[in-house]
Amino acid sequence: MIDHASHAHEIAAAIRCGKISAVEVTKSALDRIALLDQRYNSFTAITTDRAFTEAEAIDKRRAQGLPLPPLAGVPYAVKNLFDITGLPTLAGSKINASHAPAQADAKLIQTMQQAGAVLLGALNMDEYAYGFTTENHHYGPARNPHDPSRSAGGSSGGSAAAVAAGLVPLSLGSDTNGSVRVPSSMCGIFGLKPTYGNLSLQGMFPFVHSLDHAGIFARSSLDLALSFALLKFKQTLPHEQAIDDLRHGIHGLRIATAGDYFEQGDTQSQQAVQTVAQALDTRHKTSLPEVARARSAAYVITASEGGALHQANLRQQAGDFDPLTRPRLLAGSLVPAAWYIKAQRFRAWFHQQVMDIFRQFDILIAPATPCCAQPLGQEFMTINGVSMPTRPNMGLFTQPLSFIGLPIVAVPVQQPGGMPIGVQIIAAPGREDLALRVAAFLEHAGVSTAPAVNN
Amino acid sequence: MSKSTPAISENISTDCIKSLCELHAIHPAEEDLNKVHQQFQLIASHAQRVMEFDLHEEIEPAGEFRP
């Protein structure tokens, strides 16, 4: 039976064999969004007409006996920094709402359309992707389906909440410092941040050119692998190969837990890593050098490039920025070039050090966030007795890794009666396949599950 | 690896931030200035950590970074 909890590959298979039509799936998903999204505020725009046009085209192909593409009829949605033809690309801002509508879809939306997926709309986010909580003053906060009084994480909070709530089985987002992995952790779903440069950013509103990645959210590792294969390789690699790769398990993989810096999360965060390590039967622990400094360098680059990007608007219409974003962008626009250049030089050094570690190990595991989702509006959190600002520190464990562009799958570890938390499965550049294999192993072992939830 | 002398002033004043803003023809509202100051100090503390790290002079910036 196909329902809101179905995975993308299950929906595509059901449509392919005629158990349900693409239009029926689309109508059901749109009805569910209308019914439930007032609670989660994950969508900022619904593309109803487009969705039915795309779904009808799929049903017509099937009626004509033509082969259907791999994601035929699968509903999905995108963070509202993706260009969608006919809509202004908000990027979470009020300023962009007055921009002309996009003349074309972002490259990844074009690819999803070729793969048969049906676009349902655009999703909430922190303004200009500068945040980890999606507390957006213009469009309201995205709320966590596990507990709507808590943050869905950010900056792709709407993308994660929509998938966690079963409104769509798949969504696209972006990750500059953790904006796929943090909301995946908070909402208890799977998230993939591929290798830097591995997915096209064409038609996506930028944040930090040096660090921006596109990413994918799903409730199963198979959906992540399938979507990534289609988005990355299009028709050159049969998507069946990506699915077959998942069945290889973890035999032969050298896996280690990242220690030291990555052990400063709360009890739940550390317990989740231990649970994953036990399931993977790894007792190896390794230490990455200068991780705190890597995070600092990422912080400087982010502030500087983000501030520079918005400097003209900060001069002319500062009052139109989100009050949470404006001081950060203003401060970033003042960063001296010497700081920025040293941070970029440090990045080259840190990358080399971590590549040396990948000569010994294929996979590293680390917590995704220092704690689970916190209540909306909470300024400070206490981790192991240390009080720290909530919003920047949710990226404590993600920021140093996206800094050097490593491919990472965030896998969920559910806590009965409590909030979920994520663990990062980290691979060497270009080895998304290995991280996805580990995620699939954990899912099949029952360690990582991502049920649709509606609290 | 770290040097004992701070590479960045530990006393960045609000006036200094105001002057830097003026340099860029940005005029933040008074109520924003303190927040910008706080954010700049946070960035400066991160920058301090980066600037005090000795790197071999041949290491180039990773501006065209491709892992």
Side-chain angles (χ1 to χ4, degrees), chain A residues 281-431:
Chain A
D281 195 24
T282 180
R283 283 171 289 277
H284 298 293
K285 187 181 277 191
T286 189
S287 188
L288 278 61
E290 300 292 347
V291 184
R293 225 182 290 274
R295 182 187 177 222
S296 287
Y299 206 100
V300 170
I301 291 169
T302 299
S304 180
E305 289 194 29
L309 182 67
H310 295 284
Q311 202 173 58
N313 284 337
L314 289 167
R315 278 192 202 103
Q316 293 156 12
Q317 50 185 132
D320 290 336
F321 282 84
D322 188 314
L324 285 178
T325 314
R326 183 173 58 237
R328 303 182 79 186
L329 290 172
L330 270 166
S333 74
L334 310 178
V335 167
W339 299 1
Y340 175 83
I341 291 167
K342 182 71 180 279
Q344 286 284 15
R345 292 181 61 222
F346 180 82
R347 187 180 180 205
W349 178 87
F350 183 65
H351 173 247
Q352 200 52 55
Q353 305 306 307
V354 177
M355 289 308 98
D356 288 345
I357 288 172
F358 278 115
R359 283 188 241 285
Q360 302 169 55
F361 299 106
D362 302 302
I363 292 287
L364 304 177
I365 57 178
T369 49
C371 58
C372 67
Q374 298 297 296
L376 288 161
Q378 182 173 291
E379 298 287 336
F380 288 87
M381 59 187 184
T382 302
I383 305 289
N384 298 331
V386 179
S387 176
M388 57 182 84
T390 304
R391 294 186 184 102
N393 285 303
M394 278 300 177
L396 195 67
F397 299 140
T398 52
Q399 205 160 3
L401 301 169
S402 37
F403 177 53
I404 51 170
L406 303 175
I408 301 169
V409 176
V411 298
V413 178
Q414 307 291 339
Q415 178 161 296
M419 297 296 291
I421 201 164
V423 172
Q424 297 183 90
I425 309 297
I426 308 152
R431 297 313 307 264

Side-chain angles (χ1 to χ4, degrees), chain A residues 79-357:
Chain A
K79 188 175 184 175
N80 72 26
L81 55 64
F82 284 77
D83 284 351
I84 298 174
T85 305
L87 295 180
T89 306
L90 297 177
S93 72
K94 173 184 171 185
I95 291 169
N96 287 25
S98 62
H99 288 186
Q103 296 295 304
D105 290 335
K107 185 73 177 170
L108 295 186
I109 295 180
Q110 292 176 26
T111 308
M112 289 294 277
Q113 190 176 37
Q114 288 161 11
V118 173
L119 181 68
L120 299 193
L123 298 160
N124 204 354
M125 58 180 284
D126 286 286
E127 186 182 57
Y128 295 126
Y130 209 170
F132 287 124
T133 56
T134 313
E135 292 170 285
N136 188 307
H137 281 69
H138 308 305
Y139 304 101
R143 295 179 179 276
N144 195 313
H146 289 263
D147 176 352
S149 73
R150 294 177 186 253
S151 164
S155 65
S156 310
S159 299
V163 170
L167 305 181
V168 283
L170 277 179
S171 67
L172 301 183
S174 65
D175 187 318
T176 301
N177 286 300
S179 289
V180 164
R181 294 158 289 156
V182 170
S184 293
S185 176
M186 307 268 152
C187 291
I189 59 172
F190 292 88
L192 169 64
K193 183 207 78 63
T195 309
Y196 179 73
N198 238 352
L199 288 184
S200 172
L201 299 175
Q202 188 183 320
M204 290 169 63
F205 197 87
F207 173 25
V208 179
H209 286 288
S210 294
L211 305 174
D212 286 346
H213 305 67
I216 310 164
F217 297 87
R219 291 192 307 276
S220 82
S221 55
L222 178 53
D223 283 355
L224 275 192
L226 175 59
S227 307
F228 175 67
L230 291 165
L231 290 171
K232 167 68 180 160
F233 300 105
K234 303 182 184 68
Q235 305 305 318
T236 60
L237 176 81
H239 65 277
E240 289 86 355
Q241 184 180 325
I243 296 166
D244 285 345
D245 284 349
L246 294 186
R247 300 195 181 107
H248 291 174
I250 59 169
H251 181 69
L253 293 183
R254 300 166 301 168
I255 303 173
T257 304
D260 296 332
Y261 177 93
F262 292 101
E263 294 173 304
Q264 54 183 317
D266 72 3
T267 306
Q268 186 188 1
S269 170
Q270 295 189 49
Q271 184 61 50
V273 172
Q274 285 172 18
T275 301
V276 166
Q278 282 168 8
L280 299 174
D281 195 24
T282 180
R283 283 171 289 277
H284 298 293
K285 187 181 277 191
T286 189
S287 188
L288 278 61
E290 300 292 347
V291 184
R293 225 182 290 274
R295 182 187 177 222
S296 287
Y299 206 100
V300 170
I301 291 169
T302 299
S304 180
E305 289 194 29
L309 182 67
H310 295 284
Q311 202 173 58
N313 284 337
L314 289 167
R315 278 192 202 103
Q316 293 156 12
Q317 50 185 132
D320 290 336
F321 282 84
D322 188 314
L324 285 178
T325 314
R326 183 173 58 237
R328 303 182 79 186
L329 290 172
L330 270 166
S333 74
L334 310 178
V335 167
W339 299 1
Y340 175 83
I341 291 167
K342 182 71 180 279
Q344 286 284 15
R345 292 181 61 222
F346 180 82
R347 187 180 180 205
W349 178 87
F350 183 65
H351 173 247
Q352 200 52 55
Q353 305 306 307
V354 177
M355 289 308 98
D356 288 345
I357 288 172

